[in-house]
């Protein structure tokens, strides 16, 4: 069984910072990529940031320059440092892991965290 445990969400004022963390645990053979998605009420879910096992990163245009994603290979953990937060960043953030559970797996599977709420408000 594989699970993603998320932490770091909460309430912050505009211009403030938060750091989200996501740790993958369980039977994991290899991880190709991990990332963060978010979904606000009435909005489409979007990829906020992602990082591959090789360290390549990708960001949504709306967060580029403000958010930084990083990974800890030894701990199967990904972090999202969020600075200069704006009210429009308010959303439920979900951690995602693209992985292989065993050597015999045909392909990669996705595992999702339960979601953590980030609220940016005065």
């Amino acid at each position: 069984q594989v699970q993603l445990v998320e932490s770091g969400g909460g309430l912050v004022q505009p211009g403030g910072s938060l750091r989200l963390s996501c740790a993958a645990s369980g039977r994991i053979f290899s991880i190709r990529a991990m990332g963060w998605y978010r979904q606000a009420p009435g909005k489409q879910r979007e990829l906020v940031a992602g990082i591959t096992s090789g360290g390549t990163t990708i960001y949504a245009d709306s967060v580029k320059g403000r958010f930084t994603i990083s990974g800890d290979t030894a701990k199967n953990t990904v972090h999202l440092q969020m600075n200069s937060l704006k009210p429009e960043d308010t959303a439920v953030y979900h951690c995602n892991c693209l992985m292989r559970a065993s050597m015999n797996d045909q392909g990669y599977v996705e595992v999702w965290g339960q979601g953590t709420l980030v609220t940016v408000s005065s």
Side-chain angles (χ1 to χ4, degrees), residues 20-122:
L20 304 183
S21 297
C22 175
S25 63
R27 188 175 183 180
I28 302 171
F29 178 71
S30 64
I31 295 176
R32 181 177 182 180
M34 295 183 72
W36 290 93
Y37 290 75
R38 70 184 181 188
Q39 187 167 25
K43 302 293 184 181
Q44 193 81 359
R45 185 178 66 182
E46 66 171 339
L47 174 66
V48 179
I51 185 169
T52 70
S53 60
T56 301
T57 59
I58 187 170
Y59 297 92
D61 289 340
S62 60
V63 308
K64 202 161 191 174
R66 299 187 296 120
F67 292 9
T68 302
I69 190 168
S70 61
D72 187 332
T73 302
K75 298 180 180 180
N76 289 332
T77 300
V78 66
H79 305 283
L80 184 67
Q81 179 66 45
M82 304 184 293
N83 299 324
S84 302
L85 283 162
K86 305 174 181 180
E88 50 262 47
D89 294 318
T90 297
V92 176
Y93 286 69
H94 291 267
C95 181
N96 169 270
C97 178
L98 184 64
M99 58 162 284
R100 235 178 205 188
S102 73
M103 185 183 298
N104 295 326
D105 285 349
Q106 292 292 94
Y108 294 99
V109 298
E110 286 187 311
V111 181
W112 292 86
Q114 79 286 352
T116 184
L117 177 63
V118 172
T119 302
V120 185
S121 176
S122 299

